[in-house]
Amino acid sequence: MHKDGRAVVVQVAKSAGAMRRGNAPLRHLGRDITEERAHNAELSQQALHDSLTGLASRLLFEDRLSQVNARQSAEAVGMPC
């Protein structure tokens, strides 16, 4: 949570130079990726939907179809999905 109350998405990573000294914890670095995540979602929407109608594109249809086929193949051989 940001100090102004809004939710933010944060990427957390260990500091490359962080070393454990005695009982002191390792330091972690956080980077706000809220805008980056929203931008990626927008790009995905544009790539998978028609810009005029907003309907799913052929690429999205083919992706979902392959997922269904993979699930049915797994169920046919008794594998959990």
Side-chain angles (χ1 to χ4, degrees):
M1 295 297 286
H2 193 271
K3 64 182 175 182
D4 66 6
R6 63 185 167 90
V8 294
V9 180
V10 180
Q11 179 182 34
V12 179
K14 292 181 186 176
S15 173
M19 300 295 288
R20 182 175 281 283
R21 291 186 185 160
N23 291 331
L26 293 173
R27 292 185 299 175
H28 291 85
L29 303 175
R31 181 173 70 95
D32 183 355
I33 59 169
T34 306
E35 288 183 26
E36 181 180 335
R37 182 76 60 96
H39 181 68
N40 287 340
E42 183 180 342
L43 288 176
S44 179
Q45 172 73 19
Q46 290 175 1
L48 300 175
H49 293 81
D50 182 81
S51 60
L52 181 61
T53 64
L55 297 174
S57 69
R58 183 172 184 85
L59 180 64
L60 181 60
F61 171 75
E62 290 173 351
D63 176 62
R64 296 303 188 263
L65 183 60
S66 68
Q67 290 177 11
V68 168
N69 288 336
R71 186 177 308 124
Q72 287 178 341
S73 296
E75 289 173 354
V77 295
M79 293 176 53
C81 296

